[in-house]
């Protein structure tokens, strides 16, 4: 797992396995341990921490295992927070963008009508500042949970016998 890309808030990875995808998926069936909750739907595997160990930005790992050939499979992984948290986070981003566009239209209208427009400029600037705050909050959430991300990744590697 490479962490060279610092802009990504939800890191992704993919690699090929030297086993068929059914065998890889069965490695996650009936996982009995206390550290993670593992659930499987078709060729998707979700690995997450139990509720009592979760915080607001606790990561989970979503794996998609696909067949390449009869003896090879492709594993695609995505780290991210709980989907409800991520949806709320994206909702806030869309609200900020929508308000920025509204302030931009309002600014343009006032400039065209030769009216005062400093309030709208400040509104646009404030939306940019809020966007940066949201971005850095997401970055801090990701980096503060780096140990949990590595624990999820190492658990996945141990189940798939990947070195």
């Amino acid at each position: 797992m490479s962490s060279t890309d610092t802009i990504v808030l939800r890191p992704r990875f993919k690699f090929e396995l030297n086993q068929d995808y059914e065998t890889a998926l069965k490695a996650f069936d009936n996982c009995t341990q206390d550290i993670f909750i593992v659930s499987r739907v078709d060729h998707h595997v979700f690995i997450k921490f139990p509720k009592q160990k979760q915080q607001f930005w606790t990561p989970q790992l979503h794996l998609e295992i696909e067949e390449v050939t009869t003896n090879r499979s492709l594993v695609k992984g995505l780290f991210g927070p709980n989907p409800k948290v991520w949806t709320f986070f994206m909702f806030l981003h869309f609200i900020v963008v929508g308000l920025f566009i509204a302030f931009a239209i309002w600014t343009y209208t006032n400039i065209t009508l030769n009216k005062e427009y400093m309030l709208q400029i400040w509104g646009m600037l404030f939306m940019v500042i809020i966007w940066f705050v949201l971005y850095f909050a997401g970055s801090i959430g990701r980096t503060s949970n780096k140990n949990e991300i590595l624990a999820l990744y190492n658990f996945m590697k141990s189940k798939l016998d990947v070195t």
Side-chain angles (χ1 to χ4, degrees):
M1 181 177 72
S2 170
S3 63
T4 57
D5 193 354
T6 58
I7 293 178
V8 177
L9 292 179
R10 295 191 334 160
R12 299 172 187 267
F13 63 89
K14 68 180 176 178
F15 59 88
E16 287 195 19
L17 282 175
N18 291 326
Q19 55 183 293
D20 66 298
Y21 83 107
E22 282 295 328
T23 305
L25 287 169
K26 286 180 183 175
F28 293 102
D29 287 342
N30 303 321
C31 285
T32 54
Q33 38 71 39
D34 298 329
I35 302 171
F36 301 109
I37 297 171
V38 179
S39 57
R40 177 181 158 203
V41 178
D42 295 329
H43 59 278
H44 297 270
V45 178
F46 301 92
I47 307 169
K48 55 187 171 183
F49 287 90
K51 285 273 188 204
Q52 62 271 19
K53 292 184 180 180
Q54 288 183 8
Q55 298 171 6
F56 182 72
W57 204 265
T58 299
Q60 65 180 27
L61 177 57
H62 171 214
L63 298 173
E64 184 178 357
I65 302 175
E66 300 173 347
E67 182 177 22
V68 175
T69 63
T70 54
N71 293 332
R72 294 188 62 77
S73 56
L74 179 67
V75 177
K76 297 178 185 177
L78 169 68
F79 292 102
N82 183 316
K84 292 176 186 175
V85 171
W86 186 253
T87 302
F88 177 69
F89 190 67
M90 287 294 100
F91 173 74
L92 290 177
H93 272 79
F94 287 125
I95 292 293
V96 168
V97 168
L99 287 172
F100 179 86
I101 291 170
F103 277 117
I105 292 170
W106 193 11
T107 303
Y108 175 75
T109 303
N110 281 2
I111 290 171
T112 304
L113 296 174
N114 293 323
K115 291 186 175 182
E116 182 63 34
Y117 55 87
M118 280 313 292
L119 174 69
Q120 295 81 9
I121 296 289
W122 284 109
M124 288 172 47
L125 181 63
F126 185 64
M127 290 304 114
V128 170
I129 291 169
I130 288 178
W131 181 81
F132 276 113
V133 167
L134 287 173
Y135 174 76
F136 287 119
S139 298
I140 290 169
R142 185 195 62 173
T143 55
S144 68
N145 291 316
K146 193 168 256 183
N147 291 337
E148 286 90 353
I149 288 174
L150 288 174
L152 289 165
Y153 188 74
N154 290 333
F155 175 76
M156 181 259 327
K157 282 176 43 176
S158 71
K159 287 295 180 183
L160 294 175
D161 293 325
V162 177
T163 54

